[in-house]
């Protein structure tokens, strides 16, 4: 059985209604991402500027499911 999903890293560009986000992937593509049930259930906040891991269906590469929020590398803000 072949893998049907790709996992990419990206940056949240814009917040849209109903848990949808515009995500710019590391390779430059823009996709529409929605929040997975695990993130929604654990009340994890996702804001524009956050780095996320997104799962993209290889048959429709314009949409994806946000599966985790990654740590931001803001070392300057830590004093």
């Amino acid at each position: 059985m072949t893998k049907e999903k790709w996992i990419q890293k990206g940056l949240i560009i814009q917040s849209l209604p109903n848990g949808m986000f515009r995500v710019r992937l590391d390779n430059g593509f823009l996709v529409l991402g929605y929040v997975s049930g695990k993130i929604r259930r654990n009340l994890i906040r996702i804001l524009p500027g956050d780095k996320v891991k997104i799962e993209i269906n290889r048959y429709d590469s314009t949409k994806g499911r946000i599966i985790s929020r990654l740590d931001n590398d803001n070392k300057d803000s830590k004093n």
Side-chain angles (χ1 to χ4, degrees):
M1 185 172 167
T2 62
K3 282 189 172 184
E4 296 183 10
K5 300 190 185 323
W6 292 316
I7 296 180
Q8 299 279 328
K9 292 181 183 177
L11 182 70
I12 301 291
I13 300 296
Q14 181 183 16
S15 178
L16 302 170
N18 295 329
M20 304 284 276
F21 297 93
R22 181 93 43 216
V23 181
R24 181 182 309 274
L25 301 179
D26 287 346
N27 59 10
F29 290 115
L30 283 176
V31 296
L32 185 66
Y34 62 92
V35 179
S36 70
K38 183 177 172 184
I39 291 178
R40 197 180 294 260
R41 190 171 47 244
N42 291 323
L43 300 174
I44 296 172
R45 301 286 179 221
I46 298 177
L47 300 171
D50 286 346
K51 294 181 182 179
V52 294
K53 193 183 298 185
I54 187 166
E55 186 179 69
I56 300 171
N57 190 347
R58 69 178 188 164
Y59 298 110
D60 184 11
S61 60
T62 62
K63 296 177 188 166
R65 181 173 62 170
I66 299 171
I67 55 175
S68 69
R69 191 181 91 190
L70 301 174
D71 293 333
N72 288 337
D73 296 323
N74 293 337
K75 295 177 183 173
D76 297 334
S77 65
K78 296 178 183 177
N79 291 331

